[in-house]
Amino acid sequence: MNGRILLPTPSGGLETYALRGGPAPRPAGGAAFNRIAYSAAHVVADPLAAADPWLDCAIDWDATIGYRRHLWSLGLGVAEAMDTAQRGMGLDWTTSLELIRRSLDAARDFPGARVASGCGTDHLAPEAARTLDDVIAAYEAQVAAIEALGGRLILMASRALVRVARGPEDYARVYGRILEQVREPVILHWLGDMFDPQLRGYWGDEDIPRAMDTALDIIAAHADKVDGIKISLLDKDREIEMRRRLPAGVRMYTGDDFNYAELIAGDGAGDLPTHGHSDALLGIFDAIAPAASAALAALAAGDTARFHEILAPTVPLSRHIFAAPTRFYKTGVVFMAWLNGHQGHFSMVGGQESARSVLHMAELFRLADRAGVLERPELAIERMAQWLTVHGIHQP
């Protein structure tokens, strides 16, 4: 196709689009970072399984673990069994635990590889929760299962806790009980309701400043058991405010897929070194992994200009992938993995390959090209053309 493809336009027409971007540079093997960087990794469905895609969770384990090896080879950590992996949105707890086990086993081939695993209460249906003790017991069960595998924990937000809690003091009670028991410091996760509407009012208040005060009080009371907190509110000012109030030794992990570049680079302000920048735990790093790795290596080498040069064009792509309804961002992440040849199909757990429109995906393709994150442009054009043909847009 000579670097050209016919794409739909918002006006209802078609345009011939010519590729213009180039692949972002990859850092040399073993490049060191001065930020901790986790990619929340997606799972690869098994489209040939004898299962109902909307109801059953069939995973291609080889391809799924292969993608984690790709991330580790780029120096990125893996945040396992998180919402990017469709946790609680197609991926159940039993399959999540198997995913965590396989990921931890594979990480042993990569000395120093980071894996942090999502620990929640998703095996307890929110409507089945009656008391705080039900929520505590659910958390305890998953903590024990993951720690038995040698895993480190990301303490995920709980839909069941939202249902039964009556105020901030109930969150303090539940988190206090769990943090007293964990073996190693955990990462807390504050996931906004744009990602999961069932988490509205987390920390016992819909007012963000008051909710932040509650979370900070819990962290301060158990600072020795908290490695950091990831907040996914898509509000950079709130994140900066919170990270400047964190106790010594507690990190801010940005989950802001709209403003990650400036948050990771930081402003150097605050009373402690970690107050001046955010570390990273991002779903978008799954889709732009080589660019993220190259940018982080540049930042560690003191070349902040190069860091921004690499990441700046990825931000419009990320904002598009995470556009409202934000919870459908997984569709764009998996589409990128398919375009780049990391899996042989575009099928998803829960049938979520259908969650975005043809126009959305066409714009994703344009933005990915401009960002330089189409790793194999000829393959990307071939696959995009195949996908468009299925949707009635035939190439000349």
Side-chain angles (χ1 to χ4, degrees):
M1 294 181 184
N2 298 318
R4 295 175 181 272
I5 188 169
L6 202 62
L7 296 177
T9 65
S11 64
L14 297 172
E15 69 169 5
T16 299
Y17 179 80
L19 290 187
R20 64 187 72 176
R26 293 167 64 111
F33 302 154
N34 61 354
R35 302 287 189 269
I36 297 174
Y38 287 100
S39 169
H42 74 282
V43 292
V44 182
D46 180 358
L48 302 181
D52 294 312
W54 284 18
L55 302 176
D56 303 317
C57 184
I59 302 295
D60 181 337
W61 291 114
D62 289 343
T64 293
I65 298 303
Y67 197 73
R68 282 138 181 79
R69 293 178 182 275
H70 168 66
L71 295 171
W72 289 318
S73 74
L74 293 168
L76 300 174
V78 169
E80 192 55 275
M82 302 291 290
D83 45 308
T84 305
Q86 299 178 239
R87 180 74 176 270
M89 307 166 199
L91 191 75
D92 60 23
W93 163 237
T94 300
T95 312
S96 296
L97 185 60
E98 178 65 10
L99 174 62
I100 291 166
R101 183 188 70 77
R102 288 173 182 260
S103 189
L104 290 170
D105 286 347
R108 296 187 179 97
D109 295 335
F110 291 81
R114 292 181 182 271
V115 182
S117 302
C119 171
T121 66
D122 47 318
H123 62 288
L124 172 66
E127 62 273 14
R130 297 288 182 267
T131 67
L132 294 179
D133 287 337
D134 291 340
V135 178
I136 290 169
Y139 267 129
E140 288 175 336
Q142 293 200 14
V143 167
I146 295 170
E147 287 189 337
L149 298 174
R152 301 193 64 146
L153 305 175
I154 301 170
L155 209 59
M156 301 172 69
S158 167
R159 293 170 177 170
L161 180 54
V162 174
R163 185 180 186 281
V164 300
R166 294 295 175 261
E169 64 283 354
D170 288 342
Y171 285 81
R173 177 186 166 192
V174 171
Y175 276 85
R177 283 278 298 275
I178 301 306
L179 291 172
E180 288 170 358
Q181 301 177 54
V182 295
R183 294 178 186 171
E184 297 180 283
V186 307
I187 299 173
L188 303 181
H189 189 189
W190 183 359
L191 189 67
D193 59 7
M194 70 288 293
F195 287 91
D196 186 345
Q198 295 187 58
L199 297 178
R200 186 173 183 83
Y202 211 74
W203 305 115
D205 208 310
E206 292 190 16
D207 179 77
I208 296 298
R210 290 197 295 265
M212 185 183 296
D213 288 343
T214 298
L216 285 165
D217 287 346
I218 291 169
I219 292 169
H222 305 278
D224 61 325
K225 290 296 186 75
V226 180
D227 169 56
I229 181 168
K230 172 193 173 175
I231 64 172
S232 301
L233 301 179
L234 304 182
D235 185 331
K236 67 178 181 179
D237 294 328
R238 296 294 190 196
E239 178 172 323
I240 292 169
E241 176 190 355
M242 190 173 189
R243 82 184 182 201
R244 289 182 183 166
R245 297 172 62 189
L246 289 173
V250 178
R251 297 176 178 271
M252 172 60 72
Y253 288 91
T254 186
D256 189 335
D257 300 278
F258 284 7
N259 304 289
Y260 50 92
E262 62 179 291
L263 290 165
I264 293 168
D267 55 18
D271 297 330
L272 298 168
T274 51
H275 287 176
H277 69 265
S278 297
D279 293 283
L281 199 166
L282 288 161
I284 193 57
F285 274 12
D286 182 293
I288 64 165
S293 181
L296 289 165
L299 184 66
D303 193 344
T304 304
R306 181 60 177 152
F307 168 84
H308 285 296
E309 181 184 3
I310 294 170
L311 281 191
T314 71
V315 172
L317 169 66
S318 186
R319 291 186 175 197
H320 182 72
I321 287 175
F322 285 80
T326 303
R327 64 187 181 276
F328 295 145
Y329 77 87
K330 279 79 72 175
T331 302
V333 168
V334 176
F335 195 65
M336 284 291 300
W338 177 60
L339 290 178
N340 283 327
H342 294 291
Q343 57 192 75
H345 60 83
F346 178 47
S347 296
M348 293 179 63
V349 172
Q352 287 198 27
E353 66 272 12
S354 64
R356 293 293 201 185
S357 70
V358 174
L359 283 175
H360 178 94
M361 304 305 255
E363 184 63 10
L364 181 153
F365 184 86
R366 295 183 187 95
L367 292 170
D369 170 49
R370 294 167 190 165
V373 292
L374 295 179
E375 298 171 35
R376 298 163 61 185
E378 291 183 2
L379 176 66
I381 278 194
E382 177 185 330
R383 290 190 165 183
M384 188 70 190
Q386 293 171 354
W387 186 80
L388 288 169
T389 298
V390 172
H391 291 82
I393 301 173
H394 300 273
Q395 302 301 309

